[in-house]
Amino acid sequence: MSILQSTAPGSAAPVNLSECAAESSPLQAQAAPAAAVATVSLDTLARHVPARVVDLAPASNVEEQELMLRLMEIGFLPGERVRIVATGFPGPDPLAVRVGEATFALRRHEASKVLVAVEGWA
C-alpha cells in the first residue's frame, strides 16, 4: 500500500488519498499528472541535486512496513524537499540526506525506498 493510501476507519478496503485530493482540488490534478513526473529512487540521486519526495516504494513484508513507517516519521513525506549532502567514504554507505530542514544518515537500501522527482523535471 502506498503512503498515499489508507484504510478507511471501520473498513478493510483501502482508500486512495491521492484520488480524494484530486476530487477536492481539480486544478492540482490537472497541473501535475502522475505520468509526466519522472521519478527516481533517492539512492540514485546525485549529490546536491534538489528533488521532492513523490512516494515510498510499496512494502513487501513486515520489516519493510516498519522501515516505511520510520521514513515517514523522519519526514520523507510527499512534497518534502530532499537532496543528498554527502556519501560515505570509501564505500557507498551511508548517505547524508537533507529532508526539509534536517539531515539524516541513511543506508542505500533505505534510501532506495524513497521515490523522488528531480526539481525542474516536473
Side-chain angles (χ1 to χ4, degrees), residues 37-40 45 49-55 77-83 114-119 122:
V37 177
T39 60
V40 296
L45 191 65
V49 174
R52 288 202 184 264
V53 175
V54 175
D55 202 355
L77 299 170
E80 196 65 47
R81 297 181 75 177
V82 296
R83 65 184 167 99
V114 180
L115 303 176
V116 299
V118 176
E119 289 189 339

Side-chain angles (χ1 to χ4, degrees), residues 101-122:
E101 297 297 319
T103 304
F104 297 95
L106 293 180
R107 295 180 202 113
R108 282 204 182 263
H109 83 274
E110 295 168 333
S112 71
K113 303 299 181 182
V114 180
L115 303 176
V116 299
V118 176
E119 289 189 339
W121 284 11

Side-chain angles (χ1 to χ4, degrees), residues 64-76:
E64 285 187 2
Q65 287 175 345
E66 291 172 358
L67 172 60
M68 298 308 150
L69 181 59
R70 283 194 306 267
L71 290 170
M72 287 188 292
E73 289 172 344
I74 289 172
F76 290 96

Side-chain angles (χ1 to χ4, degrees), residues 10-89:
S11 169
V15 176
N16 190 329
L17 297 179
S18 60
E19 288 176 5
C20 295
E23 290 173 5
S24 63
S25 61
L27 293 177
Q28 284 182 330
Q30 292 174 0
V37 177
T39 60
V40 296
S41 61
L42 182 59
D43 67 317
T44 62
L45 191 65
R47 283 184 2 175
H48 303 296
V49 174
R52 288 202 184 264
V53 175
V54 175
D55 202 355
L56 295 181
S60 62
N61 57 42
V62 174
E63 290 174 0
E64 285 187 2
Q65 287 175 345
E66 291 172 358
L67 172 60
M68 298 308 150
L69 181 59
R70 283 194 306 267
L71 290 170
M72 287 188 292
E73 289 172 344
I74 289 172
F76 290 96
L77 299 170
E80 196 65 47
R81 297 181 75 177
V82 296
R83 65 184 167 99
I84 303 292
V85 178
T87 58
F89 181 80

